[in-house]
Amino acid sequence: MQLDIFLDGTPVVLLGEADAARQAVLRYRRAGARLAHFDSPAAFRAAVALPARPGLVAVVGKALPGRAADDGEWAPVLEHYRNAGVPIAREAPAGARGHVALVGGGPGSRGLLTVDAIEALRDADVVLFDRLAPWRELEQLTTAQLIDVGKLPGHHKVPQEEINRLLVEHAKGGDGGRGCNVVRLKGGDPFVFGRGGEEAAACAEARIPVRIVSGISSSIAVPAAAGIPVTHRNVSHCFTVVSGHAPLSAEEHEHLAGLGRSGGTIVVLMGIANLPHLAAGLRKADLPPETPLAVVERGHQAGQRTTVTELGRAEGDTSACGNPAVIVIGEVVRLMGTVNGSSDDRELRDLAASLLDA
């Protein structure tokens, strides 16, 4: 269970070794508590002044099932507060220093963060985040130092080599040379066009332990937000995810067109700038111009918009589309109106129905 709590002026006693409790200290202070932190039972016993009856006692530990038998060295202290009727909260220890977690943040919605992602953020000392991750809500999810290393199309204000260096620097030498628990928060999944492999390799070369926290890829989640399934038993048995960051070669267009002609779905990430080149290349490679195409902008975010057209009209019909966006090409686009009922195009719904009846 996770509680959002406001403790303005409330006396709170926090029990736990200093390093393990470093994130809990920040959380309770941010919540407005009048905090008294003790890193050992001896320090607690030696305290001159203690709140007579604090509003809350929190204990930091590795095993936190919540039973009195698991109180360890703090058992006498906690028993005292239990007898006084003081609520007791249990806090997980901060993440290990000198580690990096490459965390997938999904397509930008807090609701699509995994439990592991939220826990990694909670225990971080430093977070390096991208603009496609749910960065607007980070201050609610972590007490860590936040560093924006996001990229814009055609403009990388922090080059990848510098991001790699920052990961190593903070993990090794942050916080006065003791090292930090570092989270690299990325949009989507770290290993789907996210350069997560490069960052993991840089950490491995520097002998820094790395943990991968997989995220929900926008290649699946964003079409789903528009009611487009990337596969369907009666329509498409496969889908291919393509980076549209750079123009594709003639051979790549031929390959994708072949997949499309055989019923496969083509999903293009970061492809708005190169959409005219992509559409022309696929038509030249004999993908039929009536092949359905959709552009889903800002999927799972405010202002989400879907533009539906055909390959033959793609350049003109999508000229007003902008990033972030996912392009879907294939017959599954016709299913959009039947999955979530959002389409006002009767012809689109009729086509979808005929496909489902086939």
Side-chain angles (χ1 to χ4, degrees):
M1 179 175 64
Q2 180 176 339
L3 295 176
D4 292 325
I5 189 168
F6 300 97
L7 296 167
D8 293 345
T10 302
V12 173
V13 172
L14 177 65
L15 310 173
E17 187 272 327
D19 202 51
R22 66 186 189 274
Q23 298 300 336
V25 167
L26 294 173
R27 283 195 290 274
Y28 280 101
R29 285 180 176 163
R30 177 177 288 183
R34 288 196 291 117
L35 190 67
H37 173 221
F38 303 97
D39 62 4
S40 69
F44 180 86
R45 290 191 296 269
V48 175
L50 275 170
R53 191 180 187 280
L56 179 70
V57 172
V59 58
V60 177
K62 293 183 179 179
L64 302 171
R67 301 173 302 181
D70 301 296
D71 292 341
E73 63 179 354
W74 292 107
V77 177
L78 294 174
E79 184 64 21
H80 164 75
Y81 282 120
R82 281 195 189 93
N83 292 336
V86 177
I88 295 175
R90 300 194 177 249
E91 291 281 346
R97 293 183 179 274
H99 286 65
V100 169
L102 301 180
V103 176
S109 167
R110 175 177 176 170
L112 294 181
L113 284 170
T114 66
V115 172
D116 281 353
I118 290 174
E119 291 180 351
L121 288 167
R122 178 198 63 196
D123 297 335
D125 299 303
V126 177
V127 175
L128 283 72
F129 65 91
D130 280 348
R131 70 184 186 92
L132 294 180
W135 58 271
R136 293 175 181 84
E137 300 180 71
L138 278 177
E139 289 189 356
Q140 303 172 35
L141 297 170
T142 184
T143 57
Q145 175 188 356
L146 304 179
I147 302 175
D148 181 1
V149 294
K151 305 177 181 69
L152 294 169
H155 174 62
H156 294 187
K157 63 180 178 182
V158 183
Q160 186 61 52
E161 294 75 13
E162 177 65 8
I163 295 174
N164 296 349
R165 188 192 69 78
L166 287 170
L167 289 173
V168 172
E169 177 183 280
H170 284 286
K172 277 192 168 183
D175 198 5
R178 293 185 294 171
C180 293
N181 182 289
V182 182
V183 163
R184 173 72 171 102
L185 183 64
K186 310 171 76 64
D189 182 89
F191 283 178
V192 180
F193 306 137
R195 301 194 178 184
E198 298 174 41
E199 293 168 358
C203 292
E205 184 178 356
R207 299 185 181 277
I208 294 171
V210 179
R211 180 166 71 105
I212 309 301
V213 179
S214 298
I216 299 174
S217 174
S218 59
S219 62
I220 300 169
V222 170
I228 301 173
V230 293
T231 64
H232 189 284
R233 182 167 59 91
N234 295 324
V235 180
S236 176
H237 292 172
C238 66
F239 72 99
T240 301
V241 183
V242 182
S243 170
H245 181 71
L248 302 180
S249 66
E251 291 78 9
E252 289 170 323
H253 281 125
E254 289 283 354
H255 176 66
L256 291 178
L259 290 171
R261 287 193 301 271
S262 63
T265 303
I266 302 167
V267 181
V268 184
L269 308 184
M270 305 172 289
I272 290 297
N274 287 308
L275 196 156
H277 178 269
L278 172 70
L282 290 175
R283 291 194 300 265
K284 186 176 181 180
D286 294 327
L287 189 61
E290 63 270 17
T291 302
L293 181 149
V295 176
V296 186
E297 301 169 80
R298 299 177 294 279
H300 289 286
Q301 300 179 47
Q304 177 179 313
R305 181 178 70 164
T306 304
T307 301
V308 178
T309 183
E310 296 179 342
L311 187 64
R313 307 197 310 266
E315 292 93 323
D317 288 353
T318 65
S319 59
C321 295
N323 288 307
V326 172
I327 303 165
V328 186
I329 304 170
E331 294 299 317
V332 293
V333 172
R334 301 190 195 277
L335 301 179
M336 185 182 73
T338 65
V339 173
N340 68 355
S342 64
S343 175
D344 293 325
D345 189 334
R346 184 175 183 82
E347 181 182 359
L348 181 62
R349 293 199 299 272
D350 291 344
L351 284 168
S354 68
L355 284 168
L356 290 169
D357 290 339

